[in-house]
Amino acid sequence: MTETVLLVGGGGREHAIARALADSDADLYACAGNRNPGIARLAEGFESLDTTNPSAVTAYGREVDATLAVIGPEAALEAGVADALDDADIFTFGPQEAEARIETDKAFQRRFMEQHDIPGCPTFETFEDMDAACDFIDEFDGDLAVKPAGLTGGKGVRVTGDQITKAEAKEYVRESDYERIVLEERLVGEEFTVQAFVANGEVRVTPAVQDHKRAYEGDEGPNTGGMGSYSDATLELPFMDEDDYMEAVDVLEATVDALDGYKGVLYGQFMLTADGIKVVEFNARFGDPEAMNTLPVLNTDFLDVLTAARDGDSLPQLSFAPRATVCKYAVPEGYPTDPDSGARVTVDEDTIERVNERYRGDGGESNAVADGGERNAVSRPSSGLRSDGGSPPEVRLFYASVDERDDGIYTTTSRSFAVVGIADTISVAEEIAEDALEAAGDGVRIRHDIGKPDLVQQRIDHVAELRGE
């Protein structure tokens, strides 16, 4: 039978999910608070609604006779949208509200890790009394990460010894009006993400990705939702080895073993330190931008993952094309502190296609434009290493937090669109992404250094220094 999939959310992550489902035997419907033009082109129907309203989402799911659902944003998970859809017999690939607390409540997350002896947990304390939190900051011998317990869109963490002083940390705690604060030891190393598909007690992992949170080049400025990211043509990143990757996988598997009935994506944000892998945080959904690195190189039909999860079957083994990826976001001027919302965005999709034609070389097909397509790929051998795929480089465009109106596409308060270069090496993928950014009109800002050889080498050198090599 043909499945009908409801996609909840309208960002770049959700556009990547829509692209992953575009060639499946499924009818896709979507709902979001903004009208994402890339998703709207791929979907049979698109409804504008509040995705944190379980009743509204469920009503639309019933209206389109959805048989499956995928939830992109964490706020919808926290609001219990997965619970409501499951109760309506629309199986949802996303955790219910209680299990999503592994992301939505950082105090719960750390206590959960401590209670279940999950490896990689840093030293931490949680506070509801902000005066007590300030005393802890004064007394702690070392630097600290100050984390609001709830969701902050990736922008709430402050780190002493890096972004702020201890005095500024105390001021932040007292003036921010957060009800609960988590204070934990500052982790020094290189961050990376491993995302896993989880259902029926099984874990299927994806390649490691490194996100770039800082707003400006050279890792300067405030944290953002993510300015871009890269992955390599292997499971690992250039500054990691196979043991590092498997240590992160062990953490994910231990976490799933301790969670009861978790389904969906479990995202582990890790720090590779001098003392091994530490957990920065868990997320209960695909990363954004990391989904745009992972899903374009996934050979396995994502719909097969969803149906196996629903039917209680073993999840398919995942196969990935042997390609590196570099994602670069275009964001509104002023993002993240004072974004220029409501400005018209111009994206020249013909430029994207011209870049693909330039790199295609052999007359092969490209699927870079926003409305989907196919490309050749090579399965990953069981060792996890990737062989030469022989496919030409390409670029893909993903629309994110923009709103399509009758007279054009407009910015919101978040990231606007991303381009993803895909090639045999990170350096070539980065060059392709840069070429494609010629499609960006005025009024957006980009971190051009993401994926460049010198920045990647800095990561390699940093880890070598930490390890005393």
Side-chain angles (χ1 to χ4, degrees), residues 214-339:
R214 294 299 190 93
Y216 308 124
E217 296 189 7
D219 293 323
E220 299 291 335
N223 278 344
T224 70
M227 293 295 296
S229 47
Y230 68 95
S231 65
D232 209 346
T234 61
L235 287 170
E236 305 84 24
L237 291 162
F239 56 81
M240 301 165 57
D241 59 31
E242 186 176 354
D243 288 342
D244 298 326
Y245 180 85
M246 291 310 301
E247 189 175 347
V249 173
D250 288 344
V251 172
L252 289 171
E253 290 179 339
T255 304
V256 171
D257 286 345
L259 287 166
D260 184 19
Y262 190 95
K263 57 185 173 65
V265 175
L266 182 64
Y267 160 129
Q269 185 80 21
F270 301 100
M271 185 76 79
L272 177 54
T273 75
D275 299 318
I277 299 297
K278 300 288 186 180
V279 177
V280 177
E281 65 179 4
F282 291 113
N283 289 335
R285 36 69 189 184
F286 279 114
D288 188 338
E290 293 93 339
M292 292 180 282
N293 299 95
T294 303
L295 289 173
V297 296
L298 176 66
N299 291 335
T300 307
D301 191 336
F302 185 49
L303 183 64
D304 289 346
V305 176
L306 302 184
T307 56
R310 178 194 60 195
D311 298 340
D313 296 336
S314 181
L315 297 182
Q317 297 294 328
L318 302 183
S319 167
F320 294 90
R323 317 302 293 280
T325 68
V326 174
C327 173
K328 300 193 184 193
Y329 249 123
V331 304
E333 293 287 358
Y335 176 81
T337 54
D338 187 23

Side-chain angles (χ1 to χ4, degrees), residues 330-334 340 342-348 402 409-411 416-417 437-446:
V331 304
E333 293 287 358
D340 184 11
R344 189 165 179 170
V345 176
T346 301
V347 182
D348 182 1
V402 291
I409 299 170
Y410 290 82
T411 62
S416 299
F417 66 90
L437 287 169
E438 295 175 7
D442 296 332
V444 294
R445 182 174 56 77
I446 298 154

Side-chain angles (χ1 to χ4, degrees), residues 144-468:
L144 288 162
V146 182
K147 296 183 174 184
L151 296 176
T152 59
K155 307 179 189 73
V157 177
R158 303 289 187 274
V159 182
T160 69
D162 178 22
Q163 299 167 300
I164 56 175
T165 65
K166 285 197 171 185
E168 289 168 334
K170 291 187 291 182
E171 182 180 4
Y172 176 58
V173 165
R174 289 194 173 106
E175 294 183 357
S176 58
D177 294 327
Y178 294 123
E179 294 182 357
R180 293 176 299 141
I181 288 284
V182 180
L183 299 177
E184 58 191 46
E185 64 173 305
R186 177 191 176 191
L187 301 175
V188 177
E190 286 297 329
E191 288 192 44
F192 67 95
T193 298
V194 177
Q195 301 165 103
F197 300 159
V198 180
N200 310 321
E202 294 185 324
V203 178
R204 298 288 185 264
V205 292
T206 67
V209 181
Q210 186 172 58
D211 184 18
H212 295 66
K213 287 288 189 185
R214 294 299 190 93
Y216 308 124
E217 296 189 7
D219 293 323
E220 299 291 335
N223 278 344
T224 70
M227 293 295 296
S229 47
Y230 68 95
S231 65
D232 209 346
T234 61
L235 287 170
E236 305 84 24
L237 291 162
F239 56 81
M240 301 165 57
D241 59 31
E242 186 176 354
D243 288 342
D244 298 326
Y245 180 85
M246 291 310 301
E247 189 175 347
V249 173
D250 288 344
V251 172
L252 289 171
E253 290 179 339
T255 304
V256 171
D257 286 345
L259 287 166
D260 184 19
Y262 190 95
K263 57 185 173 65
V265 175
L266 182 64
Y267 160 129
Q269 185 80 21
F270 301 100
M271 185 76 79
L272 177 54
T273 75
D275 299 318
I277 299 297
K278 300 288 186 180
V279 177
V280 177
E281 65 179 4
F282 291 113
N283 289 335
R285 36 69 189 184
F286 279 114
D288 188 338
E290 293 93 339
M292 292 180 282
N293 299 95
T294 303
L295 289 173
V297 296
L298 176 66
N299 291 335
T300 307
D301 191 336
F302 185 49
L303 183 64
D304 289 346
V305 176
L306 302 184
T307 56
R310 178 194 60 195
D311 298 340
D313 296 336
S314 181
L315 297 182
Q317 297 294 328
L318 302 183
S319 167
F320 294 90
R323 317 302 293 280
T325 68
V326 174
C327 173
K328 300 193 184 193
Y329 249 123
V331 304
E333 293 287 358
Y335 176 81
T337 54
D338 187 23
D340 184 11
S341 176
R344 189 165 179 170
V345 176
T346 301
V347 182
D348 182 1
E349 292 185 15
D350 289 340
T351 294
I352 302 287
E353 183 55 30
R354 285 194 294 271
V355 170
N356 276 296
E357 290 173 353
R358 189 185 314 155
Y359 284 96
R360 193 174 292 155
D362 63 354
E365 292 299 318
S366 169
N367 60 348
V369 295
D371 56 357
E374 292 185 350
R375 66 181 172 85
N376 296 327
V378 174
S379 299
R380 182 202 305 279
S382 60
S383 65
L385 300 177
R386 302 181 184 189
S387 59
D388 181 7
S391 297
E394 61 175 307
V395 68
R396 295 190 182 189
L397 167 67
F398 294 101
Y399 285 102
S401 294
V402 291
D403 192 31
E404 185 178 36
R405 307 174 191 170
D406 291 341
D407 61 343
I409 299 170
Y410 290 82
T411 62
T412 66
T413 59
S414 192
R415 298 162 293 176
S416 299
F417 66 90
V419 296
V420 179
I422 305 169
D424 289 340
T425 65
I426 295 170
S427 60
V428 175
E430 188 277 330
E431 291 175 7
I432 299 166
E434 274 296 303
D435 285 350
L437 287 169
E438 295 175 7
D442 296 332
V444 294
R445 182 174 56 77
I446 298 154
R447 260 196 72 170
H448 291 282
D449 61 343
I450 294 169
K452 286 192 178 296
D454 56 346
L455 197 63
V456 175
Q457 187 61 48
Q458 287 177 23
R459 270 55 175 168
I460 296 169
D461 294 344
H462 186 204
V463 171
E465 180 184 358
L466 290 172
R467 288 172 162 166

